Structure formats: C-alpha cells, structure tokens
Amino acid sequence: MQPTSPCRVCRLRRRKCVWEENETKCNRCTKLDIECVPTDEKKIAREHEELMPQDGEEQVEDWIHDVQQLELELQKMESMTTASTEYHFLSKPSNEQHEWQLSIVNGYLRLRTTIQSIDEMKMYTEASLRYLSPFSDLFNNKNTSILFESRSFSIPIISSVVIQRNAIQKQRALSYTKKHYQHQTSNNDDRSSRTSQNGGDNIESDGFSCPLMDYRSVIEYLVPLYLEHKIPYNGFLHIPTFQKYYNELRDPLTNPVILSMCVDALVSLPQVTRYSTMERRMLAELCCYRCKQILFEMYDDPVQYGLEIVMTTSFLQVYLMDVTLNYIEARRLTTVALLICDEFLNGPYHKGEMTVVDNALYERHRLSLEMSNRTFDIFFESRMDYRVKNGCNFIELVILDDELQVTKDYIRFYNHLIRLVCTPHVSVLLGKINSTFFGESCELFLEDILAYKPIVLDWWKSLPAEYRLCDDPFDPAACTKYSEKKLPATTLFPFLAVHMLNNFISASLLHPRFKTSLSRSEGCSEKINDNPIANSVLQSLREELVELAKNTSRVLIYILKRNCARDGTGWTSSASLSSCVIVLILYGLEKLANCPDIEYPYELLYLFKKIMNKQIKTLFPPDHTVSSSSSLLAAYIVEELKDTKNSKILTPSPLEVYEKYPFPGSAQLNDIIMTSLNQLDQYLYTPTTSPFSLS
C-alpha cells in the first residue's frame, strides 16, 4: 500500500514522492538505489538524522563557513612563506641568459660583445637600465617596493560587494510574483488576452499557485527573438542543431534549457519584447522557478544530464546576478554545476562520446561559469585571480564551421581576451590592486608596473589585423580619433577591452610612495627615500598613470556616447557590458577627483552627465530611479566599512529599497550612478572634506 506521507529523501529534497502501483519504493529512491523510509509525521520534530541535506539549510551554510575560514588560514600561511616569490612572479626574469663583455676606455664604459639582432639590442638596453644606471637600486633591490595608497573607498566598485556580503546573513524578500501578481491583474485589462481560458498551464511558485497562462505561446514568442538578438553575439547555442532539437520537443515546459533561455530573453532583450517591465519580471521568475525544479531533479544523474545542467545554469546567471541581485543563489548553482563538470569529464566528455557541437557548447558554457565563479571570489572572498590553476583550463574555444560569421568573430575575440586576462602578470596585478577598492593600500614593485604596457602591446600586436583599430591603443591621438566613431562591435570590443583594463589599473595607482622593508638598515632606508633620482622616477611614473587614467576615461565616455544605444552590433544585447563601462567611468572620475594636485577633467564629467541624462531611458526600465531621499547607499557603505568590530549596522540595507522594483539590479545601478555623481559634485565644488573618505 502506498504511504500517505512522502519518504524521508523526498521530504528533505522538497520534491513530490511518486509511487508506482505495487512498488515497495518511490520512484526517486528506486532510481538512486537507496532504502525508501516513510516519514512518521509525529516523530519529525524529534528526528535529527538526515539522509542528505537540502539546499541552503544551516548545516550546509556552516560547512561553507568552515571551508572559508580554512581557506583564510591557508592563505595566511602561504603569504608568510611565498610573499616575496609572489611579488617577483610579476617581474620574473627570462630563463634565457646572456653575457655581455664590457670594458672601460678613457673612463667610458664600452660594450665589446657584438649585437646580433634588434632583440639583443633591447635586452642590452634593459640590462643597462637595470644594473648599470642610477636607477639600478630601484630594479635590483628585492627589499624596496612601491606602496600605492588609496585615500578613499570606491562607491561604484564596492557597493555591490558590500551589499551582497551582508545579504548572506539576511532573508531575501518574498517572491515578486507572489507579492504583485494580484494587484497587477486587477489593473491590467489586456492581461486576459494572454491568459488561456481553456488549456493554460499552471506553474506553482513557492507555494503560490499562479494563474493559468499560455506559457507555451510565451516560449514560442521568445525563442526566435533570442536566437536572433542574443545567440549570434555569445555563441551559447548552435542554431541549426538547436532548431532541430526544439522542433522535436513535445513539451518545452519540461526542458530546463528552453526555460532558462526564456528567462535570459525576458531580462536581456527589453527593446524587442512586447511585455511590460513587471510582466517580464514575473514571467522570468515563474520560468526560473520551474527551471530550477527540473534542474534539481537532474542533479541525481550528473553524467547523463551534465550538458543540460551546465547550459541551464549558465543561462540563469544574468537573471540571478544582474536582475534579482541574488549572488548567493547564483554562486550555489554555479558551484554545483562546476562540481558536476568534474563528473561529466569522466563520462561522455572524457570518453569522446559527445558530438563536436555538444563539445563546443559545453566548453563555452563551462568557461562562462568559471568566469562567474571568479566574480564570486571577488564579491565574497576579496580575491581577484584569473590565472589558470586548480585544474581550471581556459582552453581555446572551438569555432564551428556552419556558425554565423558574427558568432565566429566573437568567439575568436573571446579567445584573445581570455588569453590577456589570464596572463599571470595581468592577473596577479589585478589581484594586488583589489584592496584599493576598500580604501586600503597595495604593494607592487616598479618592474611590475613598467612591464604592464609592453605585455598589453605584445597582446595587441598578436591580434589579427581586423581586430586592431590602431597601431598603439595607448596613443591618445589614436584614441580620440577612433573612439568618436561608430564602429562594428568586433572592431570596437578589443579596443574597449584594453581601455577598460587600463582604466581599472591606472585609476587605482595614483598615489605611489616608496616603501622600504623593515629588514633593511635605517641608514639605507633613508638613502632610498631621499634619493632625488628615485623620487623623480616615482613622480614620472605617477604623471604617466594620471595621463593614462584621463585618457582611458575619455575613451570609455566617448565609446559610451557613440555606441551604447546602437542596434545590430551586440552592444545593446549586453546590459552587463554597458553597466561595467559606466561603473569604470565613475571609478576613474572618482579616483582623479581624489588627486587635488592635478587638473581635473571637468569636461569629461559634464559629458558623462549629459550621456546619462540622454540615455537614461535606454539604460534603465521605466520608473527604476532611486531618489536621493530614498537612497541608503552612501550611509550604508560608510557605516559598513567603519564597522571593524562587527557591531550591528543601524542603516537598513539598500537591498530592501531595490527589491521593491521589478528589476532590483537596474535600481541598484541607477542608485550607484546618482550617488557617485552627487558625491563627486560635493567634493569638487566643496573640496574641504572628501565624501569618499573614511576618516
């Protein structure tokens, strides 16, 4: 006889317990080949033994906390033993050794070794500067480094980080659909035209039974739009293969890949969909809930469903991170998907049973999840590291023969971009700079800074000619000439990527001073700090960084002005990219404002404000403006960063304000922009006290 209550496994998983006739186990326990134990409702309160933990329960959170603490301890131990090695990893000399024969003739140093090539001449020049010039102590001294001070925290950069870290301890708001659907239907007469009166589908979300609606017609409407406006620019589907697969589906509501695609279409394509902002949010929420239900069932068989799990999780990232601001859930799903990748690699992928198309899609989505995972490290661990390590292989993505040409161009560019970002020198440099976001200092060597530009230029010159907008992306004249033009996205993006990276690095390093190791003698320390040549080098370095920060801010603003509202190039289909550009512009303008001894580029600030006023409707959904009277952002960030003893924060989380909007992520970005601009105005026009300062 079938039990009236669910078994323990199904109850813990919060899944329906289904029994076949004359069976002694439920379907799930039969599939998992485990004992099926009926639940005694009277003893549930006293039971503590668990067969398997459910998503998000306290035990899992405790494990995560313990792992994080262990990682912190390991990092401390590693830093004690390898700090010097890590610093010099950036400027590690080449394995190639070259001997130079020198002599002194009439008091002058002469080179006796014959120069055989241009490369040898460059090597000799670098060696002379490093070992023979008055600057040798700056290069050849392992105990002398440069301390780059940060005199303020950065609202554009750290706002999301601080909010998400505190969200771990808080309960998120109830389902937006559950809160707003009844009110919306009572005031929207045309909703009835989209409601199926006879054969609609019912989706239950968090115990709330949503009204009957023809979700199949919604899917049939969204899928072609997604294939036309999104897939060509990310290559996450092979269109010919997918169309055949989609046409053979009996019920798309049971397919998590289709549902997750629709979620991404609803939140990523506002300009081409017919739904209102509130309708898009509710439909996305319902599809996401149904999608996760199916996804959790697939976790039982990761080898069979590995590709679907990875693709579904990848498609949900924008919705979870950029729309609902639920980085915690996004991280949980991503972690599970990447763990499943390990099992999947030992299954069909490792055995070569996958088709060429499936293999290409798997690598693309896995790479997307790996990059998301590195983002979570920044948010929750204060760790920025894109180096290839721990079994993570950023392999070159395969381009399929019958893909659209624009897709092939984008995949090629992604391969080149990953090669730059994952360069050990660039990755470690970014990791060191990470601390400046929170008003802390970072420590680098002169060689680390000087090596950055040649590395980027070498990468630039290695690009195919069609990706290189100019000969030198650092040239201010070339930047002004090309950034004011409307350009094809595949031509624009490499240029944009370099200047996003330049802006990020240069704006973070505007306050250098020499730091001498405590192990050095006091007299030697005095000599280095008082050396006029060393100070001149430091001043020249700072002047170059200031000019680079101004130039890259100018480039990003002009690119935003000319290209943020264009159609048909992929720019408008990437709201995340537009957001990143805006945040970096604000970051650069903010850091320049904290240099009172330089001439501030007011014209760039005015131009940026003008663009924001003009493009506000394009960048944000209607009615997603957070007024200055409602904003809690500045007060919350200041209180949080001053809270060194983990005392209770009195200011409510801005997340409570953002979650009142259909698209919390858009409300947050709007609040960040307006708060940052207000802070800039206060500082620039009343510069007695910096509003960014923690003092």
Side-chain angles (χ1 to χ4, degrees):
M1 181 178 177
Q2 179 177 338
T4 57
S5 60
C7 71
R8 294 174 64 183
V9 171
C10 293
R11 184 181 184 86
L12 286 170
R13 285 173 170 256
R14 295 183 178 179
R15 296 290 175 265
K16 187 176 182 181
C17 191
V18 180
W19 290 69
E20 298 294 341
E21 189 175 355
N22 299 325
E23 290 291 336
T24 58
K25 291 183 179 182
C26 73
N27 290 351
R28 179 168 287 100
C29 291
T30 301
K31 183 177 180 180
L32 296 177
D33 194 21
I34 59 177
E35 183 182 2
C36 189
V37 182
T39 302
D40 188 342
E41 298 288 347
K42 297 180 180 179
K43 295 182 179 180
I44 287 179
R46 300 193 302 270
E47 287 193 2
H48 299 287
E49 182 183 357
E50 301 173 352
L51 289 180
M52 51 185 70
Q54 69 182 49
D55 297 325
E57 65 180 78
E58 293 183 2
Q59 183 179 0
V60 176
E61 296 298 334
D62 290 340
W63 291 345
I64 293 175
H65 176 74
D66 292 342
V67 170
Q68 291 173 350
Q69 292 300 315
L70 180 60
E71 288 179 347
L72 289 175
E73 293 298 324
L74 290 174
Q75 288 174 14
K76 290 179 182 179
M77 294 174 61
E78 182 180 350
S79 64
M80 294 173 62
T81 57
T82 63
S84 178
T85 304
E86 185 181 38
Y87 274 127
H88 285 278
F89 173 75
L90 290 169
S91 51
K92 187 176 179 180
S94 170
N95 291 329
E96 182 181 355
Q97 300 294 324
H98 211 96
E99 292 186 1
W100 309 97
Q101 298 295 325
L102 304 174
S103 63
I104 298 178
V105 179
N106 298 326
Y108 293 96
L109 192 65
R110 301 295 186 189
L111 175 65
R112 297 178 59 185
T113 303
T114 303
I115 300 293
Q116 302 290 341
S117 65
I118 296 295
D119 289 337
E120 284 191 10
M121 184 177 70
K122 290 172 63 178
M123 290 173 60
Y124 175 72
T125 303
E126 292 175 1
S128 300
L129 181 66
R130 185 183 302 270
Y131 298 107
L132 300 178
S133 74
F135 313 114
S136 60
D137 195 43
L138 304 180
F139 291 98
N140 203 31
N141 190 341
K142 295 182 179 180
N143 295 311
T144 302
S145 59
I146 301 176
L147 189 70
F148 290 92
E149 298 176 329
S150 178
R151 300 179 180 179
S152 65
F153 60 87
S154 172
I155 284 183
I157 297 291
I158 70 167
S159 296
S160 299
V161 175
V162 172
I163 291 171
Q164 289 300 321
R165 288 182 183 177
N166 284 278
I168 296 177
Q169 309 298 332
K170 301 180 183 297
Q171 185 174 359
R172 294 301 295 263
L174 296 175
S175 160
Y176 183 87
T177 303
K178 187 174 182 178
K179 289 190 300 182
H180 294 278
Y181 186 83
Q182 253 181 339
H183 173 75
Q184 173 70 4
T185 51
S186 64
N187 292 280
N188 194 346
D189 294 334
D190 69 351
R191 166 73 70 172
S192 58
S193 64
R194 297 173 195 165
T195 304
S196 173
Q197 302 295 334
N198 299 317
D201 306 297
N202 187 289
I203 296 181
E204 186 174 288
S205 175
D206 294 333
F208 171 68
S209 184
C210 303
L212 292 176
M213 188 172 188
D214 190 2
Y215 292 101
R216 286 178 176 79
S217 67
V218 174
I219 293 174
E220 291 171 359
Y221 168 70
L222 291 173
V223 167
L225 289 177
Y226 196 73
L227 295 179
E228 178 183 357
H229 294 279
K230 192 70 182 281
I231 292 303
Y233 308 110
N234 61 24
F236 280 177
L237 289 174
H238 180 247
I239 295 178
T241 303
F242 173 79
Q243 287 177 329
K244 180 180 178 182
Y245 168 79
Y246 179 67
N247 292 333
E248 294 175 353
L249 276 179
R250 292 184 178 180
D251 185 3
L253 279 171
T254 62
N255 188 286
V257 175
I258 302 297
L259 290 169
S260 60
M261 280 176 52
C262 292
V263 171
D264 196 34
L266 286 162
V267 300
S268 301
L269 303 175
Q271 296 176 331
V272 296
T273 53
R274 66 192 180 196
Y275 304 110
S276 68
T277 303
M278 190 172 291
E279 288 173 328
R280 289 193 293 118
R281 171 61 193 275
M282 288 190 293
L283 284 170
E285 189 171 86
L286 296 173
C287 289
C288 182
Y289 179 81
R290 176 59 181 155
C291 179
K292 288 190 293 182
Q293 283 184 314
I294 305 171
L295 194 63
F296 295 155
E297 297 285 347
M298 287 183 167
Y299 288 164
D300 290 340
D301 194 346
V303 175
Q304 180 178 350
Y305 298 111
L307 179 58
E308 288 89 341
I309 292 172
V310 172
M311 293 178 66
T312 300
T313 308
S314 174
F315 280 130
L316 291 176
Q317 293 299 298
V318 172
Y319 172 73
L320 294 174
M321 295 169 63
D322 296 344
V323 176
T324 65
L325 299 179
N326 199 338
Y327 278 66
I328 300 169
E329 183 176 13
R331 187 191 197 190
R332 183 180 297 119
L333 294 179
T334 299
T335 301
V336 173
L338 290 175
L339 289 173
I340 286 175
C341 283
D342 295 336
E343 292 191 47
F344 190 65
L345 289 175
N346 296 322
Y349 185 90
H350 178 73
K351 297 176 182 178
E353 297 173 1
M354 296 175 66
T355 66
V356 175
V357 171
D358 287 348
N359 180 73
L361 295 181
Y362 169 76
E363 289 296 347
R364 294 175 190 182
H365 286 276
R366 186 194 62 81
L367 175 60
S368 174
L369 293 178
E370 287 284 3
M371 300 307 287
S372 294
N373 203 37
R374 304 301 170 96
T375 302
F376 300 138
D377 287 344
I378 298 172
F379 271 70
F380 298 109
E381 312 295 340
S382 297
R383 184 174 67 246
M384 182 184 295
D385 190 351
Y386 291 97
R387 285 177 292 175
V388 178
K389 60 178 184 177
N390 298 333
C392 170
N393 298 313
F394 292 127
I395 66 173
E396 184 169 335
L397 300 178
V398 175
I399 299 172
L400 302 173
D401 293 336
D402 54 349
E403 290 186 295
L404 297 174
Q405 185 59 45
V406 65
T407 305
K408 295 179 179 179
D409 292 339
Y410 271 93
I411 297 300
R412 289 192 186 97
F413 168 63
Y414 293 149
N415 283 331
H416 289 297
L417 181 60
I418 292 298
R419 181 165 53 86
L420 172 64
V421 175
C422 295
T423 300
H425 184 283
V426 174
S427 182
V428 175
L429 188 60
L430 292 175
K432 295 296 180 184
I433 290 173
N434 184 48
S435 61
T436 63
F437 306 155
F438 298 89
E440 301 174 2
S441 302
C442 74
E443 190 175 345
L444 297 168
F445 291 91
L446 181 61
E447 293 167 288
D448 305 338
I449 309 301
L450 298 182
Y452 168 73
K453 184 175 179 179
I455 287 174
V456 175
L457 285 175
D458 286 344
W459 173 82
W460 181 262
K461 292 174 182 178
S462 71
L463 295 175
E466 60 269 22
Y467 290 115
R468 284 184 275 116
L469 193 61
C470 56
D471 293 332
D472 183 1
F474 290 87
D475 182 7
C479 294
T480 303
K481 176 181 178 182
Y482 291 106
S483 62
E484 296 185 13
K485 295 183 178 181
K486 287 190 175 182
L487 300 164
T490 50
T491 304
L492 177 67
F493 280 178
F495 188 69
L496 175 63
V498 168
H499 282 282
M500 291 176 70
L501 189 60
N502 288 349
N503 179 280
F504 191 73
I505 291 176
S506 61
S508 302
L509 305 177
L510 298 181
H511 300 284
R513 67 176 177 84
F514 279 113
K515 177 184 178 182
T516 306
S517 173
L518 295 177
S519 64
R520 293 175 56 84
S521 66
E522 183 177 345
C524 195
S525 171
E526 217 173 279
K527 176 182 176 182
I528 292 176
N529 290 326
D530 294 339
N531 187 337
I533 295 178
N535 290 329
S536 296
V537 169
L538 202 63
Q539 182 61 28
S540 298
L541 175 64
R542 191 208 180 212
E543 291 174 357
E544 184 172 347
L545 288 169
V546 168
E547 290 305 311
L548 181 59
K550 289 182 179 180
N551 184 46
T552 56
S553 294
R554 181 179 296 105
V555 169
L556 295 181
I557 289 173
Y558 274 98
I559 288 178
L560 186 67
K561 175 186 176 183
R562 299 294 183 184
N563 298 276
C564 71
R566 18 184 348 191
D567 296 317
T569 64
W571 179 274
T572 53
S573 64
S574 180
S576 299
L577 178 60
S578 300
S579 302
C580 289
V581 172
I582 291 171
V583 167
L584 283 175
I585 291 172
L586 286 169
Y587 180 64
L589 293 175
E590 174 192 282
K591 289 300 183 181
L592 288 169
N594 279 275
C595 300
D597 58 326
I598 69 170
E599 183 179 354
Y600 188 77
Y602 286 96
E603 73 283 359
L604 297 182
L605 178 59
Y606 298 151
L607 180 57
F608 179 69
K609 289 182 178 180
K610 185 177 179 180
I611 295 171
M612 290 295 97
N613 290 332
K614 184 178 180 180
Q615 300 293 346
I616 198 77
K617 293 181 180 179
T618 303
L619 295 169
F620 301 105
D623 302 322
H624 276 64
T625 301
V626 179
S627 65
S628 56
S629 60
S630 302
S631 177
L632 305 171
L633 185 61
Y636 184 80
I637 298 300
V638 170
E639 187 175 357
E640 166 63 23
L641 294 183
K642 285 185 177 180
D643 178 33
T644 56
K645 295 183 179 180
N646 296 321
S647 58
K648 185 177 180 181
I649 299 177
L650 301 178
T651 305
S653 172
L655 199 59
E656 298 177 14
V657 176
Y658 306 148
E659 286 180 333
K660 297 177 182 178
Y661 297 85
F663 281 49
S666 296
Q668 176 181 268
L669 179 59
N670 179 274
D671 195 14
I672 289 173
I673 293 172
M674 302 311 298
T675 300
S676 299
L677 290 176
N678 288 337
Q679 297 278 39
L680 272 172
D681 286 343
Q682 292 176 31
Y683 179 56
L684 292 172
Y685 296 110
T686 56
T688 53
T689 304
S690 170
F692 311 103
S693 176
L694 291 175
S695 60

